[in-house]
Amino acid sequence: MSTTTMNATHSHDDHGPLKGWRRWLYSTNHKDIGTMYLIFALIMLFLGGASAMAIRAELMYPGLQLLDPDLYNNIVTNHALVMIFGAVMPAAAGLANWMIPLMIGAPDMALPRMNNLSFWILPAAALMLILSFVVPFFPGGGSQINTGWTLYPPLSLKVGMSMDFLIFTIHLLGVSSVLASINIIVTIFNMRAPGMTVWKMPMFVWAWLVTAFLLILIVPVLAGGVTMLLFDRHFGTSFFDAAGGGDPVLFQHLFWFFGHPEVYVLLLPSIGVLSQVIPAFSRKPLFGWNSMIGAMIFLASLGMVVWAHHQYTIGMSSAAVNYFMIGTILISIPVGLMKFNFIATMWRGSMTFETPMLFAISIVIMFVFGGLTGVMLAIVPADMQYHDSMFVVAHFHYVLLPGAVMALFAGVLYWLPKWTGNMYNEKLGKWFFWTSLIGFNGTFFVQHFLGLAGMPRRIVDYSIQFAEFNFISSISAFVYGLSHLIFLYLVITTIKGIGTTKAKPRSWEGAQGLEWEVESPAPFHTWEKAPKIDKEGHYVK
Amino acid sequence: MSSAQNNYFIPEPSKWPIIAMLSILLLLLGSALSFNDVSVGNYMIVFGFALLAYMFHGWFSEVIGESLSGKYGEQEDNSFRQGMFWFIASEFFFFLCFFGSLYYLREIAVGWLSGEGYLAATQEFLYPAFEGAAAAWPTAGPELVGGAFESMGPTGVPLINTALLLTSGVTLTIAHHALKKENNSGLVLWMWATIALGLTFVGFQAYEYIHAYGELNLTLGTGVYGSTFYILTGFHGFHVVMGSIMLIVIALRSAKRHFTPKHHFAFEAVAWYWHFVDVVWLGLFIFVYWL
């Protein structure tokens, strides 16, 4: 460290990027770390996408074609974990890293070295996750993971050493998430430019603040739960074994105490993205600013106390079941409020329909579908019928793909000019949007019918009467999967500047916020001198 | 908001995070292999620990160097404080997981499995043998996993340990007051007193484990009672050991006069951590030993 070369008036030690691989390995720059998060997420998206394609290929026709049942179960488990922990959360964290310091006028994240650590734990976790998938194919590697991402005992106690790799993967991911969340909270509380009060912060920053709190509260509980699983597997404890006085259902409670709020961890950053995108392309401020914050806090708090609606069939007392049902149905209030605010923002706005906005509008519509089936699933007697059917699969893909993945695409396209200095090719963007929209709905809409007709989920084979809808679903899934190659091509051409136009600092006519006051592409260091902000929260030149 | 915004210290690119990642990866990968009797895992654990120690030494030396050369102003200090606070909050929820599990197993699961109230059918269908001694806490289940055992009472060693930890909280506060009054010899003295109390606690805890294994037949494998007892006291004991190491580092740094009355974040961070460990122990004493 050059502690002696310190400049008296300027305590930045860090002046420009290092050369070569050291730039990325040793980085303390929020933009480089954000970029690494996003690239990692994209790689994981394609890995998780490949497993989804394998699942749909197997389910295209009844009977066993491509995968044996063990491998199918292994892939189903892997698909969920890779997508949730590898793709969606890192992508959202990448947006946070890139945009939060730019949006609040901070020179970087509050704890830059820890920021680097929270990213670099992810590739380690990915390595462990991939090992958990491939180890059973080596001699002495034990059985494949067949539990699904929920890892319920007693099944997860019987799996071979793969399960230990998976447990430690979850520990690693947990450490990464908690460190990143601490960094985000501290950055938001301590690094805002003078005049950027919490009540003037962009909604994306607010959304991440709520998300980071949620993560700090729930991730340690999952870490504790899988630690107990590890002890039951190797050290003779009886937490989840009724013969020793324990209870397998305990793990379900611990898992879903994490798992349900996790849904909002995936959703809230996307609500933040939509809160930036929709006003920008409607050329109006966000409608119901305060109510949006209230809705997010309400959603996060309520989300922490309704976890057992994933477990209606375990034989809880009817008082407990009723409580969880009512709590779950209440969730539709804050979500409805958010949707109302988005629609009211568009109302009489002078709207244009660039790709991020197209995504935003379709998300508002499709997320309502997912929300409505969510209310159906929340109702206990109905859920007893839908439980573990394809209806559940349709429901959560309608929530998570529009609510998390597509909104992240909207965010990436919205901020891509700021990152690369180039406007992406709008024609390619529109192609990506329409193919993915059609592919997505074709894949998952028919799964509602399959589930209602009684097709169970997570099963490699199915009865002959489900064949047509499964065929439609699989063909659409391939369209949906391939549409992401358009996105990949779009991103690469934008970075390379092939067939693109140069982006202005304010890349979109209606875009508001401090991030549009710096050049495009954003220089390596921004806001080394804090921006001036007036009483309305606007930038003063 | 501080007006020093644009002077916020951004460290140079650093190799320590990547070394930290490698050490954690080695430790966990090694553990996964070692638990499954793949002997190369043991070497990975040893090497991982060595790398972890090297990383902590290097990273903290760098940070201490930056702190002593005056690179940390009020705003940086504030970042560290808030970061530590939320780290402790996450630790709190980690322990809450185990306390919650204890509550669930003891107050809910045992009752349901033994067919309490209107749940007679639950017991009949799921586990008819779940009755009698199995249904009353402390339990090792219907199959008495781990054999007959005696449970751990609150008197004796646990009570002494409570007194030790509470006293150590007081001595640490006295040390803090000495630091604020620039009484360096008092600071160092009371730091070592705190450490002595902490280490005595660890010693008693070890004695208690030996007693439990040898005389009470209370082991980690003693059904759900042994499981919850050891995971709660074990993770707490681990945190006390970590806290003691942190206190020793702070005591050595105090002797080198690293801290000033206005600028001593590291001291306060460790003090918060120690008080947090204290509070967890009070929870343990009440819910694990006493009730």
Side-chain angles (χ1 to χ4, degrees):
Chain A
M1 289 299 291
S2 59
T3 46
T4 50
T5 60
M6 195 187 106
N7 186 321
T9 56
H10 188 71
S11 67
H12 259 280
D13 263 12
D14 182 17
H15 285 288
L18 293 175
K19 296 273 173 282
W21 54 271
R22 283 188 187 81
R23 169 175 179 181
W24 304 102
L25 248 53
Y26 296 173
S27 178
T28 49
N29 181 284
H30 73 99
K31 300 183 186 75
D32 279 359
I33 294 171
T35 306
M36 290 194 288
Y37 263 115
L38 288 164
I39 292 172
F40 176 82
L42 192 60
I43 294 168
M44 286 291 135
L45 182 77
F46 277 94
L47 198 64
S51 54
M53 294 300 104
I55 293 167
R56 280 322 313 176
E58 172 57 47
L59 294 180
M60 192 149 76
Y61 300 106
L64 301 180
Q65 287 93 30
L66 301 166
L67 310 171
D68 72 85
D70 279 337
L71 181 58
Y72 178 85
N73 290 337
N74 198 356
I75 289 178
V76 167
T77 308
N78 224 266
H79 167 69
L81 291 165
V82 167
M83 284 301 198
I84 291 170
F85 293 109
V88 175
M89 287 172 73
L95 292 183
N97 250 295
W98 247 103
M99 302 320 299
I100 288 176
L102 277 179
M103 286 175 146
I104 62 174
D108 205 302
M109 297 291 279
L111 305 161
R113 278 176 289 218
M114 195 171 90
N115 197 18
N116 195 29
L117 178 60
S118 31
F119 168 74
W120 275 107
I121 290 175
L122 287 179
L127 175 71
M128 296 282 275
L129 185 58
I130 291 166
L131 277 176
S132 82
F133 182 78
V134 299
V135 153
F137 300 105
F138 291 96
S143 57
Q144 300 192 51
I145 296 173
N146 48 10
T147 59
W149 80 294
T150 52
L151 313 179
Y152 283 177
L155 192 54
S156 56
L157 302 176
K158 313 280 179 211
V159 177
M161 68 194 291
S162 289
M163 187 52 72
D164 299 318
F165 286 103
L166 201 48
I167 286 169
F168 285 129
T169 304
I170 288 171
H171 281 126
L172 281 171
L173 292 165
V175 172
S176 165
S177 296
V178 169
L179 293 182
S181 301
I182 290 173
N183 218 337
I184 286 168
I185 292 177
V186 176
T187 303
I188 294 172
F189 281 159
N190 196 34
M191 300 288 284
R192 280 171 286 117
M196 175 63 77
T197 66
V198 283
W199 301 110
K200 290 172 194 157
M201 288 192 315
M203 195 55 68
F204 177 75
V205 181
W206 260 106
W208 246 110
L209 183 63
V210 178
T211 309
F213 275 125
L214 261 185
L215 276 168
I216 284 185
L217 303 188
I218 62 171
V219 166
V221 175
L222 177 70
V226 294
T227 305
M228 286 151 80
L229 205 57
L230 189 73
F231 272 65
D232 264 17
R233 285 169 56 81
H234 292 291
F235 306 118
T237 54
S238 306
F239 292 110
F240 308 128
D241 179 8
D247 188 353
V249 171
L250 169 63
F251 184 83
Q252 301 186 8
H253 283 294
L254 296 175
F255 182 87
W256 288 113
F257 183 83
F258 154 83
H260 192 69
E262 171 70 12
V263 176
Y264 302 114
V265 166
L266 304 175
L267 171 69
L268 283 172
S270 302
I271 294 293
V273 169
L274 294 185
S275 305
Q276 305 297 130
V277 168
I278 292 178
F281 295 102
S282 304
R283 291 162 184 78
K284 269 179 67 190
L286 184 68
F287 182 87
W289 206 86
N290 292 331
S291 72
M292 203 71 181
I293 296 171
M296 288 195 296
I297 294 172
F298 185 32
L299 182 71
S301 326
L302 200 58
M304 291 208 42
V305 291
V306 296
W307 71 87
H309 63 221
H310 295 265
Q311 309 158 245
Y312 282 153
T313 57
I314 61 171
M316 279 182 288
S317 70
S318 52
V321 160
N322 272 305
Y323 158 75
F324 284 112
M325 170 164 77
I326 293 164
T328 307
I329 295 173
L330 280 179
I331 296 251
S332 50
I333 295 172
V335 173
L337 198 62
M338 290 170 183
K339 299 295 144 190
F340 179 82
N341 285 348
F342 288 147
I343 295 167
T345 306
M346 291 185 242
W347 178 253
R348 293 191 168 174
S350 68
M351 290 162 73
T352 49
F353 300 94
E354 287 86 349
T355 314
M357 187 59 169
L358 288 176
F359 269 115
I361 295 169
S362 70
I363 289 162
V364 171
I365 297 165
M366 291 189 296
F367 194 84
V368 171
F369 281 31
L372 289 176
T373 51
V375 176
M376 291 169 75
L377 285 164
I379 296 164
V380 180
D383 178 73
M384 295 281 179
Q385 307 301 318
Y386 307 144
H387 190 89
D388 250 345
S389 74
M390 290 301 276
F391 190 80
V392 179
V393 176
H395 159 69
F396 70 70
H397 281 94
Y398 258 93
V399 177
L400 284 184
L401 281 166
V405 178
M406 288 186 182
L408 292 172
F409 281 131
V412 167
L413 293 173
Y414 178 62
W415 283 309
L416 205 52
K418 182 53 62 190
W419 302 336
T420 61
N422 298 317
M423 298 301 286
Y424 64 86
N425 184 329
E426 193 60 47
K427 208 172 195 177
L428 278 176
K430 295 246 163 53
W431 268 99
F432 171 51
F433 168 72
W434 287 109
T435 45
S436 70
L437 185 76
I438 293 165
F440 163 75
N441 283 292
T443 309
F444 293 107
F445 198 77
V446 291
Q447 291 183 5
H448 290 113
F449 309 137
L450 286 171
L452 291 176
M455 179 177 162
R457 66 171 174 150
R458 288 180 177 169
I459 308 283
V460 67
D461 192 10
Y462 52 82
S463 184
I464 194 87
Q465 75 265 29
F466 303 126
E468 284 88 352
F469 280 141
N470 267 303
F471 186 77
I472 294 171
S473 181
S474 287
I475 295 297
S476 308
F478 300 145
V479 173
Y480 186 45
L482 288 174
S483 73
H484 291 78
L485 295 177
I486 304 177
F487 175 74
L488 185 66
Y489 181 73
L490 179 151
V491 170
I492 291 171
T493 50
T494 311
I495 293 170
K496 299 262 182 202
I498 303 166
T500 56
T501 50
K502 286 272 167 244
K504 290 193 260 309
R506 186 177 301 277
S507 312
W508 307 103
E509 190 197 333
Q512 296 294 328
L514 287 181
E515 77 265 35
W516 306 108
E517 305 295 344
V518 300
E519 292 159 50
S520 299
F524 194 64
H525 289 298
T526 40
W527 303 134
E528 288 181 287
K529 198 161 175 294
K532 283 205 179 69
I533 292 154
D534 67 13
K535 280 195 183 129
E536 308 292 308
H538 296 306
Y539 179 71
V540 185
K541 285 227 164 60
Chain B
M1 279 291 102
S2 156
S3 59
Q5 169 81 34
N6 47 2
N7 283 326
Y8 192 84
F9 174 74
I10 311 289
E12 261 188 65
S14 168
K15 66 177 176 180
W16 299 115
I18 208 89
I19 294 175
M21 179 274 267
L22 286 176
S23 67
I24 302 169
L25 178 63
L26 273 173
L27 276 174
L28 294 187
L29 199 56
S31 303
L33 292 170
S34 172
F35 292 164
N36 291 285
D37 304 317
V38 182
S39 57
V40 67
N42 300 333
Y43 300 104
M44 291 169 81
I45 292 175
V46 171
F47 191 62
F49 263 119
L51 201 59
L52 192 72
Y54 168 68
M55 180 278 293
F56 271 123
H57 180 263
W59 194 333
F60 280 92
S61 301
E62 195 171 299
V63 171
I64 290 167
E66 284 164 9
S67 170
L68 293 180
S69 58
K71 293 190 181 182
Y72 298 156
E74 206 176 303
Q75 201 187 359
E76 289 84 353
D77 206 52
N78 210 350
S79 287
F80 296 146
R81 271 163 211 280
Q82 293 187 15
M84 190 65 193
F85 178 84
W86 293 111
F87 171 70
I88 290 176
S90 77
E91 287 266 53
F92 179 82
F93 272 77
F94 184 70
F95 275 101
L96 197 70
C97 172
F98 298 123
F99 278 110
S101 300
L102 176 66
Y103 172 80
Y104 180 83
L105 289 166
R106 186 175 164 165
E107 301 296 332
I108 297 177
V110 168
W112 284 4
L113 285 169
S114 59
E116 202 172 65
Y118 62 93
L119 291 164
T122 307
Q123 183 213 19
E124 197 182 320
F125 288 127
L126 288 182
Y127 215 135
F130 210 110
E131 57 187 1
W137 196 266
T139 176
E143 298 191 9
L144 207 58
V145 174
F149 67 98
E150 287 174 59
S151 61
M152 190 66 77
T155 51
V157 173
L159 198 60
I160 297 171
N161 267 346
T162 308
L164 283 175
L165 269 196
L166 289 181
T167 317
S168 76
V170 176
T171 54
L172 188 58
T173 306
I174 298 174
H176 196 181
H177 281 286
L179 169 58
K180 281 185 174 164
K181 287 180 191 149
E182 294 190 75
N183 171 5
N184 201 59
S185 57
L187 164 65
V188 175
L189 178 75
W190 287 107
M191 281 307 293
W192 285 112
T194 311
I195 294 161
L197 288 166
L199 292 179
T200 315
F201 173 92
V202 175
F204 270 119
Q205 197 73 5
Y207 167 77
E208 185 189 78
Y209 278 10
I210 293 166
H211 171 67
Y213 262 79
E215 287 154 49
L216 305 180
N217 190 33
L218 172 60
T219 69
L220 187 60
T222 303
V224 75
Y225 179 78
S227 308
T228 48
F229 176 81
Y230 281 103
I231 204 148
L232 275 158
T233 55
F235 269 111
H236 176 262
F238 173 71
H239 279 74
V240 176
V241 172
M242 286 294 114
S244 302
I245 295 171
M246 285 151 70
L247 285 172
I248 291 171
V249 173
I250 294 301
L252 295 174
R253 288 188 62 194
S254 302
K256 285 187 173 177
R257 295 176 184 271
H258 278 188
F259 302 118
T260 65
K262 283 203 167 165
H263 196 80
H264 53 266
F265 159 73
F267 180 95
E268 283 191 54
V270 173
W272 293 347
Y273 190 82
W274 193 253
H275 289 312
F276 162 73
V277 171
D278 251 16
V279 170
V280 173
W281 174 260
L282 284 182
L284 279 179
F285 184 68
I286 293 168
F287 295 112
V288 176
Y289 291 96
W290 190 0
L291 293 179

